[in-house]
Amino acid sequence: MRSYRECSIGNRYILVLDHRTLEVFDRQSDRSSPQRWHVSHVGVEAQPEAQGLLVRIGLRTEGGKISGTGGYAEIHVTAGEKASVHHFFDAVRAARDISAD
């Protein structure tokens, strides 16, 4: 069964989990297409900030960090958006676990 989820962050970002592909749409980006990663390759790091979280999404290295090569997205998440972002990335992790089977 294919799964589909969306998560809006502010009026700038829309994160989409389409089955096993994560896409980041950025309203202010000069790219004509979204950034995309397969869930088995995506890495996510979150660091607390005064007003919420700084979330970095990109290619995951063997050690579980974000690769310095290739594109990545940095998204500032407000305190009010943290719960929905955590819930969204729970679904991403679940899709990764399914693809690893």
Side-chain angles (χ1 to χ4, degrees):
M1 181 168 129
R2 290 187 67 94
S3 61
Y4 181 86
R5 291 184 185 256
E6 284 191 6
C7 179
S8 296
I9 302 173
N11 61 359
R12 180 171 175 181
Y13 297 98
I14 298 176
L15 308 179
V16 175
L17 175 60
D18 185 358
H19 193 47
R20 292 191 176 108
T21 302
L22 172 64
E23 296 179 292
V24 176
F25 294 85
D26 180 354
R27 175 176 276 170
Q28 296 178 7
S29 175
D30 57 357
R31 297 174 180 228
S32 60
S33 60
Q35 292 177 283
R36 299 174 55 145
W37 297 274
H38 190 277
V39 294
S40 63
H41 297 158
V42 72
V44 180
E45 297 173 351
Q47 297 178 338
E49 293 187 310
Q51 301 299 317
L53 291 174
L54 172 62
V55 176
R56 191 168 179 219
I57 306 166
L59 183 62
R60 182 171 41 97
T61 66
E62 294 281 330
K65 301 288 184 186
I66 302 292
S67 172
T69 61
Y72 64 90
E74 282 190 346
I75 302 172
H76 296 276
V77 177
T78 66
E81 297 168 322
K82 281 172 54 173
S84 64
V85 169
H86 280 293
H87 184 68
F88 178 82
F89 282 107
D90 285 345
V92 172
R93 279 188 292 279
R96 180 186 307 154
D97 293 344
I98 290 169
S99 68
D101 290 343

